[in-house]
Amino acid sequence: MANYDLNNYLRQMDSFRAADHARENLVNELIEKLSSLLREQAELKSDYLSERDNRRNYQTKVEDVHRAMMEQERQLDASSFVLALIDGDGAIFQDAFLQAAAGDGGSEAASRLHHAIQKHVASLYGNSGTWPVMVQIYLSLDKLAFKLQQVGLLRHPQELRTFAQRFSLNQSLFSIIDVGPGKERADHKIKEMLRAFSENPTCRHIIFGGCHDSGYLPNLDQFQHSEAKASRITLLETTPAFVGFDKLPNFKRANFDDIFRKDPLPDSAPAPVHVINTAVAVAQSPPPSAQPLPVTRSLTNRTPPAVSPSPAVVSPAPSTPAPSISATESSEESSWANVGKGITERTNSISIAPAVNSKPATKKKYAYFNRSEQRLDEPLPPRDRASVDSLEKRMTRSGKKMCNNFHIGGSCTQGKFCHFQHEPRLTPGELNALKYKARSLACNNRYCEEVDCYLGHQCANERDFGSCKFDKACHLRATHGMDKQKYVRVDRDGNEEYAP
């Protein structure tokens, strides 16, 4: 009989059971880990799908935003422009343009300015600097026309209007804007335009033409410490820039010397050099009796100059004409003929030294204004009662009022067709009484700068006595309560200075 060891069997059985238990635990553990991994994988997959959807949505939104930005940039670029703000009272076009104002001077000036601005902008922005150019020139047209005629650059003030019209027609975005008479009106417009467009994204660059006036410095000061803002502005220097503009940092700078004058306008027209040279030639040649014909022919057949050396001044009120040939003759041709005639009749050498004026120098006259740019009238001498009565009786007898233009202004364009009295001349006392009457009528020009204007700009009763007895019936009632303190004065040439 075989020998069986039961204990050995039992031990083996226990080892098998332990192995089965370990295997079962291992399998259970593996199953549990697998289950955990599957759950984690499912979660990760869900997160992935969610992130993928978010990413796709984000990418779609990015693409939409990018397209919107591109469209906005396209629209912005399509509506972008360059703006030139120029103070036309100080930035004066070259003489050649103004002397051709009655022709194509304005059109040529616009073409040259457009080309110069485009070239400057292209140098700053490269090929993208081809934006449309808008030019706004602000000035007092009548005041500047008067000055240009006075210095001999215009034959007639109306030529400046022709210049402005053809300047504006040459370029569709170019304009010369007449701000009318008055102090700092152009300055106010330019300052407001600068403020409005400096933050406008469609305005890519601003060319500022006002460096001749220190009043603009505070408006540019806000940009000087921001390089991004200052770099979008070019300071255009025409006449020498006022002290302070050269110290502004970060601004671009430009000079269009072939378009604008580098020097301020002269105070008066230059001397007629051609007449002086002719006189010198005659003085150095043999006496006229030896060679009368050549001298006479060369002068009488001479073509008058394109611009009169000192044209007659056209203004609302009469003024003393300039002591020049063209001011004393009826036409340029007759003036040149008389010059030739005068020279051929001389038998002695001709002196070109200026004649000594024996008349005493007259006191310079001004038009005065207060801080609100309201005209102030200078008081007249006291009236003589006898002269007032004499003037009234004279008008009563004739049934006609006095002609203010003739007696006060010095001349009347109506001549014998005038409906008012001319002759006989008034006595000094009667003339002063007539000035009082003229002063009681209000001048239609609120910003009148005509020094010799004889109409009223201020109620004399309120100025001299503190109140006006006529009250609402006063012709100058609109001036009641105005500031009576002098602030600025303007001479005949339009030059301004603070009143003493």
Side-chain angles (χ1 to χ4, degrees), residues 82 116-131 204-207 230-235 250-254 256:
V82 175
I117 292 176
Q118 279 196 327
K119 183 178 179 181
H120 174 71
V121 174
S123 68
L124 300 177
Y125 299 94
N127 294 332
S128 61
T130 56
W131 301 301
R204 295 302 184 94
H205 200 80
I206 297 176
I207 296 177
S231 62
R232 292 178 58 234
I233 300 177
T234 291
L235 301 181
N250 301 320
F251 287 90
K252 308 297 182 182
R253 301 179 188 278
F256 300 158

Side-chain angles (χ1 to χ4, degrees), residues 452-463:
D452 294 318
C453 181
Y454 50 73
L455 297 175
H457 309 88
Q458 177 184 12
C459 178
N461 288 324
E462 190 196 42
R463 178 195 63 207

Side-chain angles (χ1 to χ4, degrees), residues 51-251:
E51 288 297 322
R52 186 190 64 182
D53 293 340
N54 290 338
R55 171 96 180 152
R56 288 178 177 176
N57 292 336
Y58 172 77
Q59 189 65 30
T60 301
K61 290 181 179 179
V62 168
E63 291 174 356
D64 291 342
V65 170
H66 182 69
R67 281 193 296 269
M69 289 179 61
M70 292 294 291
E71 178 63 19
Q72 185 177 14
E73 183 66 24
R74 187 193 65 78
Q75 294 178 358
L76 182 65
D77 193 67
S79 59
S80 293
F81 62 95
V82 175
L83 175 64
L85 298 173
I86 299 176
D87 187 337
D89 290 331
I92 309 298
F93 284 100
Q94 284 284 359
D95 295 0
F97 298 131
L98 296 172
Q99 290 169 346
D104 292 331
S107 180
E108 179 66 20
S111 296
R112 295 275 190 93
L113 182 58
H114 184 264
H115 176 73
I117 292 176
Q118 279 196 327
K119 183 178 179 181
H120 174 71
V121 174
S123 68
L124 300 177
Y125 299 94
N127 294 332
S128 61
T130 56
W131 301 301
V133 177
M134 179 186 297
V135 173
Q136 302 283 323
I137 300 179
Y138 297 91
L139 50 79
S140 176
L141 198 67
D142 293 337
K143 181 177 177 180
L144 180 60
F146 174 85
K147 179 65 176 178
L148 292 176
Q149 185 199 31
Q150 187 181 43
V151 301
L153 293 177
L154 295 179
R155 297 180 185 87
H156 190 279
Q158 184 64 29
E159 292 183 345
L160 189 59
R161 293 195 177 274
T162 303
F163 179 94
Q165 291 169 357
R166 298 189 178 180
F167 179 91
S168 301
L169 287 174
N170 182 271
Q171 299 292 328
S172 58
L173 296 179
F174 280 30
S175 299
I176 292 181
I177 301 170
D178 180 15
V179 298
K183 308 294 177 297
E184 300 182 354
R185 287 192 167 192
D187 302 37
H188 176 71
K189 289 280 189 181
I190 292 176
K191 289 174 182 177
E192 284 300 305
M193 291 288 286
L194 180 64
R195 181 193 63 79
F197 285 95
S198 60
E199 300 293 338
N200 189 331
T202 60
C203 182
R204 295 302 184 94
H205 200 80
I206 297 176
I207 296 177
F208 178 80
C211 298
H212 56 273
D213 189 344
S214 61
Y216 295 115
L217 281 171
N219 300 87
L220 295 173
D221 184 68
Q222 58 180 314
F223 305 114
Q224 64 173 318
H225 300 299
S226 172
E227 185 175 358
K229 292 182 178 181
S231 62
R232 292 178 58 234
I233 300 177
T234 291
L235 301 181
L236 173 62
E237 297 181 6
T238 54
T239 55
F242 193 88
V243 177
F245 285 97
D246 56 341
K247 296 181 174 61
L248 293 174
N250 301 320
F251 287 90

